[in-house]
Amino acid sequence: MSWLFGLNKGQPEVPPGLPVPPAPPAPPAGSSGGGGGDKPKDKWSNFDPTGLERAAQAAKDLDNSRHAKEALDLSRMQEQSTQMEHQSKIKEYEAAVEQIKGDQIRVQAEERRKTLNEETKQHQARAHFQDKLARQRYEDQLRQQQTLNDENLRKQEESVQKQEAMRKSTIEHEMGLRHKNELLRIQAETKARAQVERENADIIREQIRLKAAEHRQTVLESIKTAGAVFGEGFRAFVSDWDKVTATVAGLTLLAVGVYSARSATGVAGRYIEARLGKPSLVRETSRFTVAEAIKHPVKMAKRLKSKPQDALEGVVLSPSLEERVRDIAIATRNTRQNHGLYRNILMYGPPGTGKTLFAKKLAMHSGMDYAIMTGGDVAPMGRDGVTAIHKVFDWAGTSRRGLLLFVDEADAFLRKRSTEKISEDLRATLNAFLYRTGEQSNKFMLVLASNQPEQFDWAINDRIDEMVNFALPGPDERERLVRLYFDKYVLEPATGGRQRMKLAQFDYGQKCSDIAKRIEGMSGREISKLGVAWQAAAYSSQDGVLTEAMIDARVDEAFKQHLQKMDWLHGDEEAQTRTLIRPLAGATAAVGQIGFTLPLSEAPEAQEVIAPVLESSTKLEGESLAPFSDIDQPAEGKSAPPAGQDCDDAVKAATEAESLAPTDSEGKVTEKQDKAASPPPKDGTPV
């Protein structure tokens, strides 16, 4: 309603339909306050009553108008809108005030937090400084205490040293005085004793004479008494024939009992040792001793209940070799069942090709016991080697199931006696071995394994019935071995769940085939070690997962090491080929050692090894010597020379030449004497 009083700027708006109010009259000229400057102005001096007049006129017009109610409502609505605007502004102001208060509270809280942080830092710094001061003060106290203790210790040591020096000087002085007193006392006693002895010399001599006579009389009386007693006893014993007979019988029975006990004890000990004990040369055996049976009863029961196994179970060989060794296994088993004579076998080839493993499987397949000994254990035994060899064969003869005696590295002590420099003890041991293996037996089967069969003595070759060459595995055998050891060392532990090992996802079969192609020339033992290397790689990883990259890395490393070993082997073979044969140049020329170089692919047969030696000996001696095939199988219509005669001639010529050479520094006998001392085999064939 402020427009009614003329308070709005300009003229008020007239609602539609209302008459326009007349314009207000102009104020008088004298009413502007310019005139009457002498009268003082009051608060009503500037009041304009025309506004009230216009308001009254407008109210009167409004009452007379037909739109008066709408105008009043519109005015009320405008007033309400104005009030609402004022209230909204008040609310905004109150919100701004609250926000300002919140900002003030937040600022105060931030300031309080900063103040607390600063106070905390100040307290920490004060506490740290106080702790530092306390530690420094404590360290100063400790240092002062240590200095004081050192000073006191030094003073005590000085005092002790002074006291010790004073004590030593006192003791030395006392010892000097005591020594002087002792010297004076001894001199006085010596002089007094000498004077007494000079004065009493006659009395002392008389006392000695009386004591000697009394002792002589006592001894004579004791002898007479003892003789009389023994004489009476012997006379009484001889006169009583019953006592003489009983005494003689008792002494005889005592001597017989002592001798019988010694003999029985020796026989029982040898029997127990042969039946129950294990010889010292045997490293491993399937036979149980009494001590092992007591210690491992469950293991012994399982072995007794075990059934014969397949001879080739777990053994990977080429098809031809597998067929041959299977025939040997079947023949050995049937020989045992029919109580026939066993055949001696030589297994030769590179290391790690399965010779020892097949020997064990052969014994288990045929139901025999097996015993493994190594040739390197014989030479260190010296003169006890002969006894040890006899014990081994005596022990082998006591097996009820038959014994397969496997001699690993047999070339270590079964060397040639004609060309090798071996000791007398080893030569005697070799002769004992030849004596015990001269005839085939139904008690034991001899299986020899060697990487250098050309070093065997000729008599050893004569005792071999069948030779089997275990060559390096081919491509198919390598793949079978890789799959076998991959399953054993990788797949089974990874799928078992009891070990910390996992296997990444890749094509296992294709990977095994690729690995078999990359490891050409590796033996079965090297492939098994490769499987162990894969397992170790998985165990050494952080998560225990064996990946394809880890497998390839181990394969590359193993093949690199294999090539390095082959380089070393080729270097040794080249050094040996330079000294193959030294000709016999005159009577004073010594016979050189004959060596053989084995090819890398496979070891040669015995005929291929020995034939060049015989041909070389024929050229050197100017004699006709038939090859190895002609010696074993003479042609029809020709009279075959005695077995071993040509070999004997070659050995004899070499021995005569070496006998002219001077003996070595150890004084070993010549080969001629050794040959004469070695006994021939039982069949009379010269060795």
Side-chain angles (χ1 to χ4, degrees):
M1 297 294 291
S2 59
W3 57 276
L4 295 176
F5 298 96
L7 298 178
N8 293 333
K9 294 179 180 182
Q11 294 296 327
E13 296 180 0
V14 179
L18 295 179
V20 177
S31 62
S32 60
D38 297 334
K39 295 181 179 180
K41 296 180 180 180
D42 53 5
K43 63 180 181 179
W44 301 103
S45 61
N46 294 328
F47 180 73
D48 188 5
T50 58
L52 295 176
E53 293 177 358
R54 288 195 303 272
Q57 185 63 32
K60 187 183 295 182
D61 295 337
L62 184 61
D63 290 336
N64 295 328
S65 175
R66 56 189 181 89
H67 298 287
K69 186 176 181 179
E70 288 82 357
L72 184 61
D73 293 337
L74 180 62
S75 298
R76 187 166 52 252
M77 290 176 64
Q78 289 179 353
E79 190 68 22
Q80 289 178 355
S81 299
T82 304
Q83 290 180 1
M84 290 178 67
E85 289 178 358
H86 284 297
Q87 289 179 359
S88 63
K89 290 181 179 180
I90 291 172
K91 294 293 182 181
E92 291 177 358
Y93 176 76
E94 290 178 354
V97 171
E98 293 295 332
Q99 184 176 1
I100 292 173
K101 289 182 179 180
D103 294 339
Q104 290 179 354
I105 293 172
R106 185 166 56 255
V107 170
Q108 291 177 359
E110 185 69 21
E111 292 295 333
R112 190 178 300 106
R113 185 181 62 79
K114 291 181 179 179
T115 304
L116 290 176
N117 290 336
E118 290 296 329
E119 291 179 354
T120 304
K121 290 181 181 179
Q122 292 295 332
H123 287 310
Q124 290 179 352
R126 189 181 301 108
H128 180 70
F129 184 70
Q130 290 178 357
D131 183 65
K132 182 178 180 181
L133 291 178
R135 285 200 303 269
Q136 186 174 2
R137 183 166 54 254
Y138 181 70
E139 291 176 356
D140 293 340
Q141 291 178 358
L142 289 178
R143 197 160 38 249
Q144 293 176 0
Q145 186 67 28
Q146 183 68 24
T147 305
L148 183 61
N149 293 337
D150 294 340
E151 185 68 20
N152 293 334
L153 182 61
R154 186 180 60 79
K155 291 180 180 179
Q156 291 178 1
E157 290 178 352
E158 291 178 355
S159 176
V160 170
Q161 290 178 357
K162 291 180 180 178
Q163 293 178 1
E164 187 68 20
M166 293 176 62
R167 188 178 65 83
K168 286 183 179 180
S169 61
T170 304
I171 292 174
E172 290 176 356
H173 182 67
E174 291 179 355
M175 291 295 292
L177 294 178
R178 189 179 294 110
H179 181 65
K180 291 180 181 179
N181 293 333
E182 288 291 332
L183 289 178
L184 294 176
R185 184 180 61 80
I186 291 172
Q187 289 177 359
E189 290 179 354
T190 304
K191 290 180 181 179
R193 191 180 299 108
Q195 184 177 0
V196 170
E197 288 180 355
R198 282 195 301 270
E199 293 176 356
N200 300 328
D202 297 337
I203 299 173
I204 294 173
R205 282 196 295 272
E206 186 65 24
Q207 289 178 354
I208 293 172
R209 190 180 301 111
L210 292 175
K211 288 181 180 180
E214 184 178 357
H215 180 68
R216 188 184 306 108
Q217 186 67 25
T218 304
V219 171
L220 291 175
E221 290 179 357
S222 299
I223 292 173
K224 290 179 181 179
T225 305
V229 171
F230 281 111
E232 291 293 335
F234 182 73
R235 192 178 299 111
F237 175 74
V238 172
S239 60
D240 192 353
W241 288 104
D242 295 335
K243 293 182 180 180
V244 174
T245 305
T247 303
V248 172
L251 293 176
T252 304
L253 292 176
L254 179 62
V256 172
V258 171
Y259 180 76
S260 301
R262 289 183 58 186
S263 301
T265 303
V267 171
R270 288 191 295 271
Y271 178 82
I272 293 173
E273 183 179 6
R275 296 282 178 177
L276 303 179
K278 183 180 74 171
S280 58
L281 283 178
V282 176
R283 289 290 184 179
E284 181 182 352
T285 179
S286 60
R287 295 180 61 181
F288 269 92
T289 61
V290 177
E292 292 178 349
I294 296 174
K295 188 182 298 184
H296 307 289
V298 178
K299 189 175 180 181
M300 181 179 179
K302 289 182 179 179
R303 180 169 295 181
L304 292 176
K305 295 180 180 179
S306 62
K307 298 180 180 179
Q309 300 179 1
D310 186 9
L312 297 178
E313 182 180 358
V315 182
V316 178
L317 301 173
S318 61
S320 59
L321 181 59
E322 184 175 345
E323 182 179 358
R324 186 176 180 186
V325 296
R326 189 178 295 277
D327 293 341
I328 294 174
I330 295 173
T332 304
R333 183 175 183 181
N334 294 333
T335 300
R336 176 185 172 273
Q337 293 177 355
N338 296 301
H339 304 285
L341 297 177
Y342 295 107
R343 306 179 70 219
N344 300 329
I345 299 175
L346 169 63
M347 296 187 296
Y348 63 97
T353 52
K355 297 184 289 295
T356 306
L357 179 60
F358 172 70
K360 292 182 180 180
K361 296 292 184 180
L362 177 61
M364 295 179 181
H365 172 74
S366 58
M368 301 171 63
D369 294 325
Y370 70 86
I372 300 177
M373 59 174 288
T374 176
D377 293 339
V378 178
M381 300 190 71
R383 63 183 60 185
D384 297 332
V386 176
T387 305
I389 288 293
H390 286 300
K391 285 184 178 179
V392 169
F393 284 99
D394 292 340
W395 176 73
T398 60
S399 176
R400 297 181 179 178
R401 304 169 59 184
L403 182 73
L404 188 146
L405 181 59
F406 179 74
V407 184
D408 197 9
E409 303 297 338
D411 54 274
F413 80 104
L414 300 179
R415 294 174 173 269
K416 300 175 183 177
R417 293 171 293 176
S418 59
T419 59
E420 295 288 344
K421 298 293 184 181
I422 60 177
S423 63
E424 284 299 316
D425 297 331
L426 189 58
R427 186 181 299 275
T429 304
L430 175 57
N431 291 334
F433 185 86
L434 294 174
Y435 172 76
R436 299 306 295 261
T437 57
E439 296 179 355
Q440 289 181 321
S441 173
N442 59 355
K443 295 293 185 180
F444 63 89
M445 176 180 179
L446 183 62
V447 179
L448 304 179
S450 174
N451 302 327
Q452 298 175 342
E454 70 276 3
Q455 297 184 2
F456 281 155
D457 189 82
W458 182 256
I460 296 297
N461 294 330
D462 184 63
R463 282 156 174 76
I464 295 173
D465 300 316
E466 189 166 355
M467 296 186 297
V468 182
N469 180 16
F470 282 78
L472 292 174
D476 297 336
E477 289 74 29
R478 285 198 304 271
E479 184 172 355
R480 289 169 58 192
L481 287 171
V482 171
R483 291 178 182 274
L484 174 65
Y485 293 119
F486 188 83
D487 294 342
K488 181 178 180 181
Y489 295 112
V490 178
L491 285 181
E492 291 181 2
T495 56
R498 292 179 294 178
Q499 300 183 12
R500 181 187 175 271
M501 184 175 179
K502 299 179 182 178
L503 189 60
Q505 294 295 330
F506 57 89
D507 191 353
Y508 307 144
Q510 184 63 34
K511 175 55 65 176
C512 292
S513 301
D514 296 341
I515 293 173
K517 296 177 182 178
R518 294 165 55 186
I519 58 174
E520 182 179 0
M522 294 180 64
S523 63
R525 182 182 293 118
E526 291 176 325
I527 297 175
S528 67
K529 291 181 180 180
L530 184 60
V532 176
W534 294 336
Q535 192 179 74
Y539 291 154
S540 62
S541 62
Q542 185 175 3
D543 52 358
V545 178
L546 181 63
T547 61
E548 188 175 0
M550 297 167 64
I551 293 177
D552 293 336
R554 290 297 186 275
V555 171
D556 295 338
E557 183 67 22
F559 191 70
K560 182 179 179 182
Q561 295 177 4
H562 169 73
L563 294 179
Q564 181 64 46
K565 295 175 184 178
M566 291 298 102
D567 292 341
W568 294 340
L569 179 61
H570 294 331
D572 294 341
E573 290 177 351
E574 291 177 359
Q576 290 178 3
T577 53
R578 297 190 184 98
T579 57
L580 281 176
I581 298 176
R582 289 188 297 175
L584 299 173
T588 60
V591 179
Q593 181 179 0
I594 302 177
F596 303 94
T597 302
L598 296 178
L600 292 178
S601 60
E602 59 177 344
E605 299 290 340
Q607 297 180 0
E608 300 175 1
V609 172
I610 299 173
V613 182
L614 300 180
E615 294 176 0
S616 301
S617 301
T618 304
K619 293 178 181 180
L620 295 175
E621 299 175 10
E623 297 178 0
S624 60
L625 188 62
F628 181 79
S629 59
D630 294 338
I631 293 176
D632 288 345
Q633 299 175 359
E636 297 181 358
K638 296 182 181 180
S639 59
Q645 180 178 354
D646 295 334
C647 250
D648 217 6
D649 296 338
V651 172
K652 188 180 300 181
T655 306
E656 291 175 356
E658 191 169 352
S659 63
L660 298 176
T663 57
D664 54 3
S665 58
E666 298 179 358
K668 295 182 180 178
V669 296
T670 59
E671 302 294 337
K672 185 176 181 179
Q673 296 174 356
D674 293 340
K675 181 182 176 184
S678 60
K682 290 184 177 181
D683 55 359
T685 304
V687 180

